Structures are given as structure tokens and as C-alpha cells.
Amino acid sequence: MRMRKKAWAEPFLKENADFVIEKPEIWAGHWREKLACQRLRIEIGSGKGDYFTKMAAMNPDEGWIGIEKEHNVAAVAAKKALAQPHEHMALIAQDADQLSSWFAKGELDVIHLNFSDPWPKSGYAKRRLSHARFLKQYEALLNPQGQVIMKTDNPKLFEFSLTEFSRENWQLREVSVDFRRQPHPEDAITEYEQKFMDLGQPIYRAVWQKKAI
Ligand SMILES: C[S@@+](CC[C@H](N)C(=O)[O-])C[C@H]1O[C@@H](n2cnc3c(N)ncnc32)[C@H](O)[C@@H]1O
């Protein structure tokens, strides 16, 4: 997501260090205590924060952590989250490449991938958030019943992801090639999702669970 540089973004992220966690590794294994929750969800590539802020408001008993590498975008998400009750929320304004050091093994319940960058050129496939190199990290960080939930507008990324999860022996629990055809009030609409819905494009969605041990 490209956005013009915002002069206020960096100072705002620093001023709100209670919410925008600069050293997430310190909390590895203790996120549930920090966010006073039983269930813990993260959204990787949370953009301007529409999804995790809305979902956190709808599910106040769960912990929600947004992860967004672009600081100009992360600052918008932080502003949005801080304008609502946010004791059960946090933001990590860093690249998810370091994910494994931020959480303990089995600490997460759900990982959300919403409208992830597709990286269409095959030379960049490793950067896709559903590449096996990420799936191995997700597997370690999720609890035994843990799930990855993906939504995308991009059929090629969806197909790639289905193949990649299958190769890594994840169990496909739910799949839809037109998720918004039916109402889903339990699932918030992301900023990108709204744009594609306005264009009449289908939303692809899948839920995977870790392989049976
Ligand atoms: C296409 S936008 C989608 C934003 C939002 N999820 C939505 O659905 O409206 C993808 C976002 O993921 C972020 N992103 C991509 N790769 C990332 C990574 N490795 N770590 C953290 N954020 C990432 C990008 O900076 C961008 O803001």
C-alpha cells in the first residue's frame, strides 16, 4: 500500500509506545496477560487497521494484534485503534519476517491474512505471506487447533495459497470463491475488501487448520 509520507506518522508511533510495540519479542509467551484475553489473533498486513479494529470491537474478549510494516499506514491504524477502547489490542509496525521471535510456540489462536500483496512475479514468490517459508512459522506459533484465515480478491494468489497449504499438509476447513454472496455479519469488511465489493468482484476466502499431529 503506497501512501504519501505523513510527517506526523513516526512521532505518533513513538508517542504511543504502549500501543505500538517497539520490541514485541519482550512479550513472547506473555501476550495473553498483556492483552488480558483468552484467545489471541493477529492480522499480518493490517493496512489502515479497519479489520482488526472492527473485529476487536465486535469481540472484546479476544486479543487482537495488527502487524503492518509501512509506518505511514500503521500510524493511521494506530490512530483508529486508539480512538476506541483498546486494552485488548496492540500494533506491531514492523515486517512480519521477524514473526517467530515475537510470539512463543503455540501462543496464537488465529492468523488473519487479508488482501495480502500478491507479488505476481514468480521471482518474488517467497515474499507472499502464504509461501511455505511463512507457513512453517505459522505452524510453530499456532496452538494445535490454530487456524489461518485468508481473504483475497486475487484468484492466482488464492490458487497459489491452496497449493502451498496443501503441500505443507494443512487441513482445509472452509473454502469460498464468493464469500460475500451470503451475509457474514460476524466478519468485518476490510478497506481493500470494500473496494473490491464496490467493483462487484468476488471475495475468495479459506480457512486452514494445522496438520493433525
Ligand atoms: C493490499 S494491503 C491490504 C491491507 C488490509 N489488510 C486490507 O485488507 O485492507 C497489504 C498490506 O500488507 C502490508 N504488508 C505486506 N507484507 C507485509 C509484511 N511482510 N509484514 C507486514 N506488513 C506487510 C503492506 O504494507 C500493506 O499495507
Side-chain angles (χ1 to χ4, degrees):
M1 186 186 289
R2 289 228 170 79
M3 189 186 266
R4 195 180 296 170
K5 194 168 161 43
K6 294 182 191 309
W8 58 270
E10 292 294 343
F12 186 80
L13 292 174
K14 288 211 164 63
E15 276 158 28
N16 290 288
D18 288 354
F19 181 74
V20 186
I21 312 298
E22 207 171 320
K23 292 200 166 126
E25 60 277 9
I26 291 174
W27 293 103
H30 303 284
W31 286 103
R32 279 196 177 75
E33 294 146 52
K34 177 168 176 51
L35 302 181
C37 63
Q38 291 300 315
R39 276 171 66 76
L40 189 59
R41 302 197 191 213
I42 65 170
E43 183 191 10
I44 306 179
S46 49
K48 293 184 196 163
D50 284 29
Y51 187 74
F52 84 97
T53 56
K54 286 189 233 169
M55 289 296 279
M58 285 156 61
N59 302 279
D61 52 334
E62 297 185 334
W64 284 83
I65 304 172
I67 298 172
E68 173 52 54
K69 66 178 179 178
E70 293 295 333
H71 283 192
N72 286 312
V73 182
V76 176
K79 206 174 222 188
K80 210 170 275 170
L82 289 166
Q84 69 184 56
H86 52 269
E87 308 76 44
H88 304 296
M89 301 161 72
L91 182 67
I92 300 173
Q94 297 177 41
D95 195 307
D97 259 349
Q98 301 304 315
L99 197 67
S100 292
S101 61
W102 301 340
F103 301 99
K105 288 202 168 120
E107 189 168 21
L108 301 177
D109 291 286
V110 183
I111 297 175
H112 291 272
L113 304 176
N114 289 322
F115 301 85
S116 305
D117 295 336
W119 295 105
K121 290 189 182 161
S122 57
Y124 291 123
K126 280 191 172 176
R127 296 189 191 180
R128 296 175 195 150
L129 292 174
S130 48
H131 187 278
R133 131 186 127 85
F134 279 105
L135 302 195
K136 290 182 202 307
Q137 295 190 57
Y138 303 159
E139 200 193 341
L141 300 181
L142 284 166
N143 69 39
Q145 287 78 41
Q147 293 184 332
V148 176
I149 304 180
M150 165 185 264
K151 291 191 285 182
T152 181
D153 62 300
N154 189 308
K156 284 192 177 154
L157 179 67
F158 196 57
E159 192 185 337
F160 169 85
S161 305
L162 287 167
T163 307
E164 206 75 347
F165 275 93
S166 167
R167 276 199 189 129
E168 292 291 313
N169 295 317
W170 289 63
Q171 307 168 57
L172 182 61
R173 290 289 185 185
E174 290 174 41
V175 66
S176 170
V177 292
D178 197 358
F179 181 60
R180 291 295 173 190
R181 182 186 284 262
Q182 308 292 336
H184 285 284
E186 78 291 355
D187 186 66
I189 296 171
T190 83
E191 186 201 358
Y192 271 65
E193 188 169 16
Q194 188 62 59
K195 287 184 189 166
F196 295 118
M197 287 167 69
D198 290 346
L199 292 169
Q201 289 184 215
I203 304 300
Y204 301 84
R205 179 179 179 275
V207 179
W208 294 272
Q209 191 161 342
K210 277 172 56 160
K211 58 188 150 198
I213 301 165

mmCIF file of all heavy atoms in Angstrom, residues 73-97:
data_model
loop_
_atom_site.group_PDB
_atom_site.id
_atom_site.type_symbol
_atom_site.label_atom_id
_atom_site.label_comp_id
_atom_site.label_asym_id
_atom_site.label_seq_id
_atom_site.Cartn_x
_atom_site.Cartn_y
_atom_site.Cartn_z
ATOM 1 N N VAL A 73 1.132 3.959 6.987
ATOM 2 C CA VAL A 73 -0.143 3.243 7.038
ATOM 3 C C VAL A 73 -0.421 2.793 8.482
ATOM 4 O O VAL A 73 -1.542 2.935 8.999
ATOM 5 C CB VAL A 73 -0.097 2.016 6.094
ATOM 6 C CG1 VAL A 73 -1.405 1.275 6.091
ATOM 7 C CG2 VAL A 73 0.277 2.441 4.678
ATOM 8 N N ALA A 74 0.620 2.284 9.138
ATOM 9 C CA ALA A 74 0.469 1.800 10.523
ATOM 10 C C ALA A 74 0.012 2.935 11.440
ATOM 11 O O ALA A 74 -0.785 2.710 12.362
ATOM 12 C CB ALA A 74 1.800 1.224 11.011
ATOM 13 N N ALA A 75 0.485 4.157 11.173
ATOM 14 C CA ALA A 75 0.102 5.293 12.017
ATOM 15 C C ALA A 75 -1.400 5.569 11.894
ATOM 16 O O ALA A 75 -2.056 5.912 12.879
ATOM 17 C CB ALA A 75 0.912 6.530 11.626
ATOM 18 N N VAL A 76 -1.953 5.395 10.701
ATOM 19 C CA VAL A 76 -3.406 5.578 10.514
ATOM 20 C C VAL A 76 -4.156 4.514 11.318
ATOM 21 O O VAL A 76 -5.158 4.800 11.994
ATOM 22 C CB VAL A 76 -3.787 5.500 9.009
ATOM 23 C CG1 VAL A 76 -5.292 5.592 8.824
ATOM 24 C CG2 VAL A 76 -3.077 6.589 8.214
ATOM 25 N N ALA A 77 -3.642 3.274 11.253
ATOM 26 C CA ALA A 77 -4.268 2.180 12.012
ATOM 27 C C ALA A 77 -4.207 2.471 13.511
ATOM 28 O O ALA A 77 -5.189 2.270 14.240
ATOM 29 C CB ALA A 77 -3.571 0.862 11.694
ATOM 30 N N ALA A 78 -3.057 2.957 13.973
ATOM 31 C CA ALA A 78 -2.888 3.244 15.404
ATOM 32 C C ALA A 78 -3.876 4.320 15.848
ATOM 33 O O ALA A 78 -4.524 4.195 16.890
ATOM 34 C CB ALA A 78 -1.450 3.676 15.681
ATOM 35 N N LYS A 79 -4.022 5.344 15.034
ATOM 36 C CA LYS A 79 -4.945 6.436 15.362
ATOM 37 C C LYS A 79 -6.375 5.893 15.495
ATOM 38 O O LYS A 79 -7.103 6.224 16.426
ATOM 39 C CB LYS A 79 -4.873 7.501 14.253
ATOM 40 C CG LYS A 79 -5.256 8.872 14.719
ATOM 41 C CD LYS A 79 -5.014 9.875 13.617
ATOM 42 C CE LYS A 79 -4.391 11.136 14.186
ATOM 43 N NZ LYS A 79 -4.281 12.217 13.245
ATOM 44 N N LYS A 80 -6.741 5.051 14.547
ATOM 45 C CA LYS A 80 -8.086 4.457 14.543
ATOM 46 C C LYS A 80 -8.302 3.624 15.815
ATOM 47 O O LYS A 80 -9.320 3.751 16.500
ATOM 48 C CB LYS A 80 -8.192 3.557 13.306
ATOM 49 C CG LYS A 80 -9.550 3.410 12.723
ATOM 50 C CD LYS A 80 -9.463 2.707 11.375
ATOM 51 C CE LYS A 80 -9.165 3.654 10.221
ATOM 52 N NZ LYS A 80 -8.856 2.960 8.968
ATOM 53 N N ALA A 81 -7.318 2.792 16.135
ATOM 54 C CA ALA A 81 -7.453 1.894 17.292
ATOM 55 C C ALA A 81 -7.492 2.678 18.604
ATOM 56 O O ALA A 81 -8.278 2.366 19.506
ATOM 57 C CB ALA A 81 -6.286 0.906 17.307
ATOM 58 N N LEU A 82 -6.678 3.717 18.686
ATOM 59 C CA LEU A 82 -6.593 4.479 19.934
ATOM 60 C C LEU A 82 -7.856 5.310 20.190
ATOM 61 O O LEU A 82 -8.073 5.756 21.306
ATOM 62 C CB LEU A 82 -5.343 5.382 19.906
ATOM 63 C CG LEU A 82 -4.025 4.613 20.027
ATOM 64 C CD1 LEU A 82 -2.841 5.489 19.658
ATOM 65 C CD2 LEU A 82 -3.847 4.038 21.428
ATOM 66 N N ALA A 83 -8.658 5.490 19.152
ATOM 67 C CA ALA A 83 -9.910 6.248 19.304
ATOM 68 C C ALA A 83 -11.034 5.379 19.881
ATOM 69 O O ALA A 83 -12.133 5.864 20.097
ATOM 70 C CB ALA A 83 -10.328 6.819 17.952
ATOM 71 N N GLN A 84 -10.758 4.097 20.119
ATOM 72 C CA GLN A 84 -11.779 3.202 20.672
ATOM 73 C C GLN A 84 -11.162 2.473 21.873
ATOM 74 O O GLN A 84 -9.943 2.548 22.065
ATOM 75 C CB GLN A 84 -12.251 2.206 19.594
ATOM 76 C CG GLN A 84 -11.194 1.168 19.183
ATOM 77 C CD GLN A 84 -11.675 0.264 18.047
ATOM 78 O OE1 GLN A 84 -12.068 0.732 16.984
ATOM 79 N NE2 GLN A 84 -11.635 -1.039 18.272
ATOM 80 N N PRO A 85 -11.972 1.803 22.682
ATOM 81 C CA PRO A 85 -11.365 1.022 23.763
ATOM 82 C C PRO A 85 -10.336 0.052 23.179
ATOM 83 O O PRO A 85 -10.643 -0.677 22.229
ATOM 84 C CB PRO A 85 -12.566 0.272 24.369
ATOM 85 C CG PRO A 85 -13.751 1.108 24.004
ATOM 86 C CD PRO A 85 -13.433 1.696 22.655
ATOM 87 N N HIS A 86 -9.109 0.072 23.702
ATOM 88 C CA HIS A 86 -8.060 -0.691 23.014
ATOM 89 C C HIS A 86 -7.188 -1.517 23.960
ATOM 90 O O HIS A 86 -6.072 -1.887 23.619
ATOM 91 C CB HIS A 86 -7.179 0.269 22.185
ATOM 92 C CG HIS A 86 -6.659 1.415 22.977
ATOM 93 N ND1 HIS A 86 -7.326 2.609 23.068
ATOM 94 C CD2 HIS A 86 -5.545 1.542 23.725
ATOM 95 C CE1 HIS A 86 -6.647 3.421 23.839
ATOM 96 N NE2 HIS A 86 -5.562 2.793 24.256
ATOM 97 N N GLU A 87 -7.724 -1.819 25.160
ATOM 98 C CA GLU A 87 -6.923 -2.579 26.133
ATOM 99 C C GLU A 87 -6.561 -3.959 25.592
ATOM 100 O O GLU A 87 -5.569 -4.550 26.019
ATOM 101 C CB GLU A 87 -7.676 -2.789 27.459
ATOM 102 C CG GLU A 87 -8.249 -1.535 28.095
ATOM 103 C CD GLU A 87 -9.512 -1.054 27.393
ATOM 104 O OE1 GLU A 87 -10.386 -1.887 27.076
ATOM 105 O OE2 GLU A 87 -9.612 0.159 27.127
ATOM 106 N N HIS A 88 -7.386 -4.476 24.689
ATOM 107 C CA HIS A 88 -7.147 -5.839 24.190
ATOM 108 C C HIS A 88 -6.471 -5.838 22.821
ATOM 109 O O HIS A 88 -6.508 -6.840 22.107
ATOM 110 C CB HIS A 88 -8.484 -6.599 24.072
ATOM 111 C CG HIS A 88 -9.240 -6.635 25.346
ATOM 112 N ND1 HIS A 88 -8.774 -7.268 26.468
ATOM 113 C CD2 HIS A 88 -10.414 -6.076 25.708
ATOM 114 C CE1 HIS A 88 -9.636 -7.117 27.453
ATOM 115 N NE2 HIS A 88 -10.639 -6.383 27.017
ATOM 116 N N MET A 89 -5.900 -4.680 22.476
ATOM 117 C CA MET A 89 -5.314 -4.577 21.137
ATOM 118 C C MET A 89 -3.874 -4.066 21.222
ATOM 119 O O MET A 89 -3.495 -3.373 22.164
ATOM 120 C CB MET A 89 -6.100 -3.581 20.285
ATOM 121 C CG MET A 89 -7.533 -3.927 20.111
ATOM 122 S SD MET A 89 -8.452 -2.472 19.592
ATOM 123 C CE MET A 89 -7.875 -2.310 17.934
ATOM 124 N N ALA A 90 -3.092 -4.375 20.164
ATOM 125 C CA ALA A 90 -1.739 -3.834 20.045
ATOM 126 C C ALA A 90 -1.393 -3.786 18.560
ATOM 127 O O ALA A 90 -2.068 -4.408 17.726
ATOM 128 C CB ALA A 90 -0.736 -4.707 20.794
ATOM 129 N N LEU A 91 -0.373 -3.031 18.263
ATOM 130 C CA LEU A 91 0.083 -2.915 16.876
ATOM 131 C C LEU A 91 1.600 -3.109 16.843
ATOM 132 O O LEU A 91 2.316 -2.578 17.699
ATOM 133 C CB LEU A 91 -0.282 -1.524 16.333
ATOM 134 C CG LEU A 91 0.089 -1.240 14.876
ATOM 135 C CD1 LEU A 91 -0.739 -2.098 13.917
ATOM 136 C CD2 LEU A 91 -0.140 0.240 14.548
ATOM 137 N N ILE A 92 2.044 -3.863 15.845
ATOM 138 C CA ILE A 92 3.488 -4.023 15.622
ATOM 139 C C ILE A 92 3.764 -3.420 14.248
ATOM 140 O O ILE A 92 3.292 -3.951 13.234
ATOM 141 C CB ILE A 92 3.903 -5.517 15.675
ATOM 142 C CG1 ILE A 92 3.559 -6.117 17.040
ATOM 143 C CG2 ILE A 92 5.398 -5.660 15.379
ATOM 144 C CD1 ILE A 92 3.777 -7.629 17.144
ATOM 145 N N ALA A 93 4.501 -2.314 14.238
ATOM 146 C CA ALA A 93 4.741 -1.608 12.969
ATOM 147 C C ALA A 93 6.079 -2.068 12.385
ATOM 148 O O ALA A 93 7.034 -1.297 12.260
ATOM 149 C CB ALA A 93 4.715 -0.098 13.204
ATOM 150 N N GLN A 94 6.135 -3.354 12.049
ATOM 151 C CA GLN A 94 7.381 -3.943 11.538
ATOM 152 C C GLN A 94 7.055 -5.023 10.513
ATOM 153 O O GLN A 94 5.912 -5.461 10.398
ATOM 154 C CB GLN A 94 8.165 -4.567 12.698
ATOM 155 C CG GLN A 94 8.597 -3.534 13.742
ATOM 156 C CD GLN A 94 9.307 -4.173 14.916
ATOM 157 O OE1 GLN A 94 10.116 -5.075 14.745
ATOM 158 N NE2 GLN A 94 9.008 -3.705 16.109
ATOM 159 N N ASP A 95 8.096 -5.449 9.804
ATOM 160 C CA ASP A 95 7.947 -6.504 8.801
ATOM 161 C C ASP A 95 7.761 -7.862 9.484
ATOM 162 O O ASP A 95 8.530 -8.201 10.390
ATOM 163 C CB ASP A 95 9.192 -6.528 7.901
ATOM 164 C CG ASP A 95 8.951 -7.341 6.644
ATOM 165 O OD1 ASP A 95 8.526 -8.509 6.758
ATOM 166 O OD2 ASP A 95 9.184 -6.807 5.552
ATOM 167 N N ALA A 96 6.754 -8.609 9.029
ATOM 168 C CA ALA A 96 6.428 -9.904 9.639
ATOM 169 C C ALA A 96 7.513 -10.961 9.442
ATOM 170 O O ALA A 96 7.395 -12.068 9.959
ATOM 171 C CB ALA A 96 5.105 -10.414 9.085
ATOM 172 N N ASP A 97 8.554 -10.626 8.739
ATOM 173 C CA ASP A 97 9.700 -11.537 8.596
ATOM 174 C C ASP A 97 10.219 -12.007 9.959
ATOM 175 O O ASP A 97 10.759 -13.102 10.070
ATOM 176 C CB ASP A 97 10.843 -10.814 7.868
ATOM 177 C CG ASP A 97 10.897 -11.223 6.417
ATOM 178 O OD1 ASP A 97 10.210 -12.189 6.050
ATOM 179 O OD2 ASP A 97 11.614 -10.563 5.653
#
